[in-house]
Amino acid sequence: MTAHDRLVGVVGTGTMGQGIAQVALTAGHPVRLYDAVPGRAGAAADAIVARLDRLVTKGRMSAEERALAVARLEPAQTLHELAPAALVVEAVLERLDVKQELLRELEDIVTDDCLLATNTSSLSVTAIGGALRVPGRFVGLHFFNPAPLMPLVEVVSGYATDVTAATRAYETARAWGKTPVACADTPGFLVNRIARPFYAEAFAVHEEQGADPATIDAVLRESGGFRMGAFELTDLIGQDVNEAVTRSVWEGFFQDAKFRPSLSQRRLVEAGRLGIKTGQGWYAYGDGEERPEPHTAAPADPPARVTVEGDLDNAGELIAMMREAGIEVTQEDEDKGTRIVLPGGGQLVQADGQTSVEFRDVVYFDLAHDYRSATRIALAACQDGNPRTLREAVGLFQALGKEVSVIGDVPGMIVARTVARIIDLAHDALARGVATAEDIDTAMRLGVNYPLGPFEWSRRLGRNWACGLLEELHERDASGRCAPSFALLRHSYDPKKWEGSA
C-alpha cells in the first residue's frame, strides 16, 4: 500500500485525471498534477478545488478538511517534479504510442520503488508496459467515471506485472475507499468485456424489428431490473465512446462474433448523432423534445382460470400471484415442460430461445429480475397467432399489476437473451482465469449497476438455464454470436444425471 504521506502523481488532466487526483487527495495524499499542455494542470487544480468547495457546501467535507486537501494539491510544470512520487497514474490520450513514450520518460525520472499505473480502458496493459525497462512495476488501475463517486477499480495485471506490484495497487485502491477487483489483462478487462451483450442484444432486437428503443429500454429497466436501458445509457455515455469500446473488444478478440459491433450504432456515429452531447442519439434532446413512450398494451380482460403444467421453474412466483389476483389456478404435473394453459387453449411460456411461429398457439413472456416487483413484462407472439391467446396473456399480466409490452417474435426476447449472454461471457472469463467469480459479480454490480452479478443470476436461474437458451438461439443464428462457450457447456452438465451409470 502507498502510505498516505507519499506523493501521488497524475499525468493527464481531463475528466478522469482530475477525478483520480481528487480521490488520492481526499484519501490524504499530497498530489501533483501534470499535463503536457501549458496551463492545463493549473486549470485542473482550480477545478478540483471548486469541486471540494461544493462538497463543503453540501456538508460532505468540513472546511478544515478542504483547507488541508487544497494545501496538498500542486500543479507541476514539468514531469521531473514527479520524481519523489510513490505512485504515478497516467490518464492521457488512449493511444498506445503516446502512453508508451510518456511511461518511458517517467521511468527515467521516478525512483525504482515507484509504482507506475495506467487508467486505460481499451488498450492492453501488457502492450503499454512492454515499452518499459522494468515492466514488473507497471499495472492497470482502471477507475470508472466519475472517479470520486464510482466505487469500483479494476486492478489489471499485465503479462509482466509482478504480484507485489499488483497487490500494492490493489491495497492502495482499497485504502482510498474504493472496491478493487483483480483481473488479468484481457480485452475490455472485466466490465467492458462482460457488459457487451447488454448493448448488443438490445441493438439486435431493434435491428430485427422486434421493438423500438423506448420499449426495449423500458423492459430492461422495469422487468430486468437494470438501472437504465441500453439506448438511453449509450446516449449518456456517447455513441462514439461506446462503439469505440465495443470495436476495441471485438478487435482484441480477433473479431469474435460474440463481440460483433452493431451496424445501427455505427450509422448513428457516422451521422454525428452521438447522444446527449450532440442533442441527438437514439433519442432527441433538443428543447421541448419529449422521450417516446414505450409500447404498452391496451387493457384486456384477465382469464378467470388457468392450468399450470409443471412448476414454471424460475417464474414459479407467478402461481401465487395469479391466485392472489383472483385467478383460479389448477396445477398439473408435466414431464415435458412447464407452461400456463389459458382458457382458449393457448399456452403462455417463459422465453426459452425459441419463437412463437414454431408452435401452435404459443405466447412467450420475458424473464424478470423479480416477477413480483417488476412493473412491466414483455410478451411475444407471431403475427399469425391466435388473437384470443394474446388477449388472455395480456389480461393475465395486467391483473398481476404489470404494464404489458407486446414485442415481435424474436428468439430469447429482451431480458432473457441479454442475461443469458452475460452469464456466458462471465463463465468464459472465469474459466480462462481472468478473475474470480466473486470479483466478476462485484465488478458488474458496482461498475455498471446490474441488479445481480452474472453468477448470482446463474445460481438463481439454474445450472442449465443460460446454456439451454443460448443453444436454442444458436440454432436460429449460426454465426456463433450466441453459441454457448465451452465453459458454460461444462458448467451446465448436472452431475446427478451420471449417477448409476457404468
Side-chain angles (χ1 to χ4, degrees):
M1 184 176 72
T2 299
H4 284 177
D5 61 345
R6 295 293 301 275
L7 176 68
V8 172
V10 178
V11 182
T13 58
T15 300
M16 288 306 302
Q18 290 182 35
I20 294 167
Q22 182 178 331
V23 170
L25 194 66
T26 54
H29 291 275
V31 174
R32 287 183 188 166
L33 282 168
Y34 174 77
D35 197 290
V37 178
R40 280 192 181 171
D46 291 341
I48 293 171
V49 171
R51 284 198 291 274
L52 297 181
D53 289 341
R54 289 195 291 273
L55 291 178
V56 173
T57 300
K58 295 176 181 178
R60 298 176 185 172
M61 173 180 277
S62 70
E64 182 182 2
E65 289 171 333
R66 178 261 183 206
L68 291 172
V70 171
R72 294 193 299 269
L73 179 61
E74 182 182 354
Q77 303 302 313
T78 68
L79 273 181
H80 286 274
E81 294 176 55
L82 306 184
L87 166 66
V88 177
V89 183
E90 69 80 13
V92 300
L93 188 67
E94 284 284 276
R95 274 182 42 188
L96 180 62
D97 58 336
V98 172
K99 291 181 182 292
Q100 287 179 327
E101 182 179 353
L102 167 65
L103 287 160
R104 277 195 296 262
E105 189 174 355
L106 275 170
E107 194 173 33
D108 292 334
I109 293 171
V110 298
T111 59
D112 290 343
D113 68 342
C114 177
L115 185 67
L116 296 176
T118 176
N119 184 57
T120 186
S121 61
S122 60
L123 299 176
S124 163
V125 171
T126 300
I128 298 170
L132 299 176
R133 292 194 317 275
V134 187
R137 63 168 167 178
F138 180 66
V139 66
L141 274 177
H142 181 217
F143 289 78
F144 288 75
N145 191 32
L149 298 180
M150 294 294 284
L152 184 71
V153 177
E154 292 177 321
V155 181
V156 186
S157 293
Y159 187 78
T161 302
D162 291 336
V163 173
T164 53
T167 301
R168 185 176 164 195
Y170 185 98
E171 294 299 331
T172 296
R174 187 160 63 178
W176 289 0
K178 298 300 182 183
T179 302
V181 293
C183 67
D185 184 22
T186 183
F189 310 143
L190 287 182
V191 172
N192 281 331
R193 171 180 178 159
I194 296 171
R196 294 350 288 167
F198 179 74
Y199 312 107
E201 295 312 307
F203 298 161
V205 171
H206 176 53
E207 290 171 359
E208 294 164 18
Q209 300 292 296
D212 60 279
T215 299
I216 296 169
D217 278 352
V219 171
L220 286 169
R221 288 193 313 269
E222 300 170 36
S223 181
F226 294 96
R227 185 76 60 86
M228 298 179 73
F231 297 90
E232 58 189 343
L233 180 55
T234 52
D235 268 359
L236 176 64
I237 294 168
Q239 298 302 331
D240 53 339
V241 174
N242 183 261
E243 199 232 12
V245 172
T246 298
R247 189 168 293 275
S248 173
V249 173
W250 177 61
E251 291 174 349
F253 281 108
F254 307 104
Q255 301 186 357
D256 187 331
K258 287 178 180 286
F259 303 97
R260 187 175 65 207
S262 160
L263 179 59
S264 58
Q265 187 180 39
R266 172 96 293 256
R267 291 292 179 258
L268 275 186
V269 174
E270 290 172 340
R273 296 186 171 188
L274 308 182
I276 293 175
K277 62 187 176 184
T278 62
Q280 178 75 53
W282 294 108
Y283 303 111
Y285 298 92
D287 292 340
E289 294 284 356
E290 294 184 4
R291 180 73 62 85
E293 292 293 324
H295 169 77
T296 301
D301 293 332
R305 65 188 61 83
V306 298
T307 299
V308 174
E309 296 179 349
D311 59 5
L312 298 188
D313 297 330
N314 57 75
E317 182 69 9
L318 292 175
I319 298 173
M321 292 169 63
M322 287 187 289
R323 286 178 170 147
E324 291 165 12
I327 298 172
E328 181 184 329
V329 178
T330 301
Q331 285 188 261
E332 297 180 356
D333 291 334
E334 175 62 51
D335 295 332
K336 297 181 181 179
T338 177
R339 62 186 67 82
I340 299 170
V341 181
L342 299 165
Q347 299 177 9
L348 189 54
V349 181
Q350 189 184 44
D352 58 8
Q354 301 181 84
T355 58
S356 179
V357 74
E358 300 170 58
F359 302 95
R360 181 180 178 275
D361 211 8
V362 167
V363 171
Y364 279 102
F365 66 95
D366 207 352
L367 176 68
H369 167 243
D370 181 333
Y371 282 102
R372 189 169 287 276
S373 63
T375 57
R376 182 178 297 272
I377 199 76
L379 301 179
C382 65
Q383 292 181 343
D384 298 327
N386 187 335
R388 176 178 175 178
T389 300
L390 182 57
R391 284 197 305 272
E392 290 178 340
V394 169
L396 186 151
F397 279 103
Q398 288 175 340
L400 304 186
K402 316 301 181 188
E403 301 277 11
V404 176
S405 291
V406 178
I407 69 170
D409 189 23
V410 292
M413 301 191 70
I414 297 171
V415 180
R417 67 196 278 177
T418 299
V419 170
R421 289 209 56 224
I422 288 170
I423 289 172
D424 179 56
L425 293 189
H427 275 280
D428 184 62
L430 175 66
R432 295 177 186 276
V434 176
T436 65
E438 181 181 3
D439 274 358
I440 290 171
D441 276 353
T442 297
M444 303 315 291
R445 285 196 315 270
L446 299 184
V448 278
N449 293 309
Y450 284 2
L452 294 172
F455 293 100
E456 292 172 318
W457 271 113
S458 186
R459 288 190 294 272
R460 174 183 287 194
L461 296 170
R463 176 184 290 271
N464 191 51
W465 179 85
C467 188
L469 190 143
L470 291 175
E471 286 178 327
E472 296 290 351
L473 288 176
H474 181 54
E475 281 191 22
R476 290 152 184 82
D477 175 5
S479 67
R481 191 173 67 86
C482 296
S485 64
F486 177 68
L488 186 63
L489 282 166
R490 182 168 51 196
H491 169 78
S492 72
Y493 283 115
D494 185 351
K496 292 181 181 179
K497 77 177 186 179
W498 302 115
E499 292 178 4
S501 62

